[in-house]
């Protein structure tokens, strides 16, 4: 999936604009409740002797600022001058949140309550349990003079309401109403939060939230149309975009009719942060001069790319292969491998550039799939192909090559890698078999040493001479 053209400019690895390309960073304030999010991930292969519950062997313990803090993190990582207007406790968890926001200006009043902490425990790609600490609803906080002043010189505001009272503070609401008269304000509401301030540019409830706010029945686009129109009138806002998950969003403004914004096709995954990514990207687009529909289009595209890249996990990954912004990529490959392996099946992988698919490719892939219960293709990225084949390659973009591969019944998933060899990608999901077409022996393949690290096997499948991308490209050039 390629990044759609949008007012923000070029897309970053996580679906947002990189302001350094052609314009200055924007000054954006994020107003809302801040949490501490902890993701504990590991494996589980046994039950506890004390009770029939799984024992998790922890591999990672990742911490980040959540709620409005996550929105601020996204915007700061996109290169924008970001200020977080929030309330914080005076406990150690609040100090940790501040430390997790080194590139964000934090303007925080006292919360009067312990720092809320949400810990998600995952086994491979499956959520096991979430543990909440200090998450009881606190009293509405007072807005300090510093919090109000932080809204005085910005290009846009995102209100990330997580139902803990910041967006309900009277002083902040008055300030937001004044700000909305001169700059775009995007309001991401919460079922337990305050209604958006009248006059803001756009509110972005999801379908479940819109149903709760309106009491309307129904589903899909017909429901979203009615709910969006109802909320525009009820809240007195410029527009409402009801988000519909992987379908997209429905935008109503009470003047120019309703517009459906379809989402690029991505496989469902962990949705944590997708709404934050959408709201942040809508604000950037509006501040860059887009109208509401175009801004929501940019936000939907950004959220889809965020999910396709692996969601919040990929957002905080600073090393390893570049995030993949294509359907059926890395995240889905890992889930597939886990499911096949859990069922006792054999995981097969193969790799290559696959630039201009031809009959030789199809036969090789089909033969590789016959070796096991699923086939994962490790695909050279565009930059990797250029390094290997020269500046005129690839002929087909990475996104198109992935889409064509996934259209073949014999291909179950695709992982894109940037390096010259797929070794690091292979180490991530450890296939049982590495298959390669060619007129050489398995021992000659460089991947043999890598597969040997976990006891995998390398095999060759029939080679079909006379069929090559280079020869096909040359023939096309002659005809052209």
């Amino acid at each position: 999936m390629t990044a759609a053209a949008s007012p923000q400019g070029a897309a970053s690895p996580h679906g947002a604009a990189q302001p350094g390309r052609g314009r200055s960073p924007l000054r954006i304030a994020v107003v809302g409740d801040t949490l501490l999010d902890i993701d504990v991930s590991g494996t589980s292969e046994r039950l506890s002797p004390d009770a029939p519950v799984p024992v998790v062997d922890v591999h990672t313990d990742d911490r980040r600022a959540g709620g409005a803090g996550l929105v601020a993190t996204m915007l700061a990582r996109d290169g924008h001058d970001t200020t977080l207007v929030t309330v914080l406790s005076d406990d150690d968890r609040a100090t940790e949140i501040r430390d997790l926001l080194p590139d964000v200006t934090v303007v925080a009043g006292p919360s009067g309550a312990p720092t809320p902490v949400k810990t998600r425990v995952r086994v491979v790609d499956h959520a096991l349990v979430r543990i909440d600490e200090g998450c009881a609803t606190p009293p509405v906080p007072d807005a300090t003079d510093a919090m109000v002043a932080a809204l005085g010189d910005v290009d846009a505001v995102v209100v990330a309401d997580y139902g803990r009272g910041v967006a309900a503070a009277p002083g902040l609401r008055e300030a937001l109403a004044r700000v909305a008269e001169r700059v775009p304000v995007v309001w991401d509401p919460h079922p337990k939060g305050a209604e958006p301030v009248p006059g803001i540019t756009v509110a972005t409830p999801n379908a479940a939230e819109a149903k709760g706010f309106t009491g309307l029945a129904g589903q899909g686009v017909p429901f979203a149309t009615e709910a969006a129109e109802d909320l525009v009138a009820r809240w007195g806002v410029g527009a409402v975009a009801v988000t519909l998950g992987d379908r997209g969003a429905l935008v109503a403004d009470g003047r120019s009719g309703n517009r459906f914004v379809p989402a690029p096709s991505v496989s469902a995954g962990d949705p944590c942060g997708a709404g934050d990514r959408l709201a942040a990207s809508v604000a950037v687009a509006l501040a860059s001069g887009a109208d509401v529909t175009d801004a929501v289009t940019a936000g939907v595209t950004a959220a889809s790319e965020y999910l396709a890249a692996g969601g919040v996990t990929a957002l905080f990954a600073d090393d390893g292969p570049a995030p993949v912004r294509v359907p059926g990529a890395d995240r889905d490959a890992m889930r597939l491998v886990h499911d096949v392996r859990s069922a006792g099946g054999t995981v097969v992988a193969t790799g290559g550039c696959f630039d201009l698919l031809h009959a030789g490719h199809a036969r090789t892939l089909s033969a590789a799939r016959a070796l096991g219960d699923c086939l994962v293709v490790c695909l050279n990225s565009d930059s990797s192909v250029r390094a290997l084949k020269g500046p005129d390659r690839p002929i087909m973009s990475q996104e198109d090559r992935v889409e064509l591969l996934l259209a073949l019944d014999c291909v179950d998933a695709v992982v894109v890698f940037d390096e010259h060899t797929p070794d690091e990608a292979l180490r991530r999901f450890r296939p049982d078999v590495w298959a390669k077409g060619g007129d050489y022996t398995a021992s000659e393949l460089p991947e043999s040493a890598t597969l040997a690290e976990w006891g995998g096997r390398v095999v060759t499948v029939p080679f079909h001479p006379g069929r090559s991308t280079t020869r096909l490209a040359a023939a096309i050039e002659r005809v052209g």
Side-chain angles (χ1 to χ4, degrees):
M1 176 178 62
T2 57
S6 66
Q8 305 106 297
S12 76
H14 300 291
Q18 295 187 21
R21 298 181 180 180
R23 60 175 175 77
S24 301
L26 296 168
R27 298 162 299 174
I28 302 181
V30 180
V31 178
D33 313 292
T34 304
L35 326 170
L36 177 62
D37 283 343
I38 303 175
D39 281 346
V40 175
S41 180
T43 56
S44 180
E45 299 177 351
R46 64 191 189 281
L47 296 178
S48 169
D50 304 319
V53 295
V55 175
V56 179
D57 294 314
V58 176
H59 293 172
T60 60
D61 182 332
D62 299 319
R63 295 160 185 261
R64 64 180 179 274
L70 180 57
V71 181
T73 299
M74 290 173 172
L75 288 165
R77 288 190 172 219
D78 295 341
H80 299 294
D81 182 356
T82 307
T83 299
L84 173 61
V85 180
T86 188
V87 294
L88 292 174
S89 178
D90 57 0
D91 55 23
D92 291 341
R93 276 355 195 335
T95 300
E96 186 173 359
I97 286 175
R98 289 181 182 272
D99 291 341
L100 290 167
L101 295 167
D103 301 318
V104 175
T105 300
V106 179
V107 181
S111 70
T115 298
V117 182
K118 295 185 178 182
T119 303
R120 300 191 307 168
V121 181
R122 303 177 68 84
V123 175
V124 189
D125 202 30
H126 299 277
L128 182 64
V129 67
R130 195 182 87 181
I131 303 167
D132 287 3
E133 303 171 68
C135 291
T137 303
V140 175
D142 293 324
T144 66
D145 291 342
M147 292 168 67
V148 172
L151 303 179
D153 188 21
V154 295
D155 298 309
V157 176
V158 180
V159 179
D161 188 358
Y162 274 75
R164 296 185 58 81
V166 171
L172 273 179
R173 293 181 67 83
E174 293 171 6
L176 287 166
R178 293 192 297 270
V179 170
E181 295 175 357
R182 57 182 180 80
V183 301
V185 177
V186 178
W187 196 295
D188 189 7
H190 188 277
K192 297 181 179 179
E195 288 189 356
V197 171
I200 61 116
T201 311
V202 59
T204 60
N206 62 35
E209 292 164 346
K211 190 165 289 189
F213 294 140
T214 63
L216 296 171
Q219 59 185 352
V221 171
F223 159 76
T225 301
E226 186 178 4
E229 292 173 345
D230 180 277
L231 291 174
V232 167
R234 182 189 301 245
W235 288 341
V237 299
V240 170
V242 177
T243 60
L244 299 168
D246 59 5
R247 297 187 65 183
L250 191 288
V251 184
D253 62 12
R255 301 180 304 277
S256 56
N258 306 313
R259 294 287 297 277
F260 176 63
V261 177
S265 177
V266 300
S267 299
D270 181 3
C272 178
D276 298 319
R277 177 73 276 176
L278 183 142
S281 300
V282 170
V284 170
L286 288 170
S288 301
D291 64 21
V292 170
T293 300
D294 286 343
V296 172
T297 300
V300 167
T301 299
S304 298
E305 291 184 347
Y306 167 88
L307 290 173
V312 73
T313 302
L315 177 66
F316 288 88
D318 294 322
D319 51 16
V324 182
R325 300 188 300 279
V326 289
D330 190 35
R331 174 176 46 79
D332 305 297
M334 296 302 293
R335 181 183 296 115
L336 168 74
V337 168
H338 171 74
D339 291 345
V340 169
R341 194 160 279 145
S342 297
T346 298
V347 176
V348 182
T350 189
C353 299
F354 297 100
D355 193 12
L356 293 184
L357 279 174
H358 53 69
H361 288 143
R363 292 177 185 176
T364 296
L365 291 167
S366 179
R369 179 62 174 80
L371 295 171
D373 299 287
C374 73
L375 176 63
V376 179
V377 176
C378 296
L379 182 72
N380 294 77
S381 69
D382 288 349
S383 61
S384 177
V385 175
R386 281 192 293 271
L388 292 170
K389 306 286 188 179
D392 295 332
R393 300 282 296 274
I395 298 167
M396 297 178 59
S397 71
Q398 167 184 312
E399 288 80 7
D400 286 348
R401 288 182 288 130
V402 170
E403 187 172 348
L404 285 172
L405 284 167
L406 290 173
L408 300 175
D409 289 340
C410 56
V411 176
D412 298 289
V414 177
V415 171
V416 180
F417 64 94
D418 275 329
E419 300 79 16
H420 288 311
T421 69
D423 291 333
E424 291 307 312
L426 291 172
R427 290 188 177 100
R428 292 167 66 183
F429 65 93
R430 299 190 169 198
D432 303 296
V433 177
W434 173 256
K436 194 72 174 175
D439 54 353
Y440 34 67
T441 64
S443 61
E444 295 173 330
L445 291 171
E447 293 82 10
S448 294
T450 304
L451 269 288
E453 294 175 10
W454 56 86
R457 296 290 183 266
V458 175
V459 300
T460 58
V461 295
F463 174 64
H464 303 280
R467 296 172 177 86
S468 75
T469 298
T470 301
R471 182 174 298 184
L472 183 58
I476 293 173
E477 186 175 359
R478 287 195 301 271
V479 173

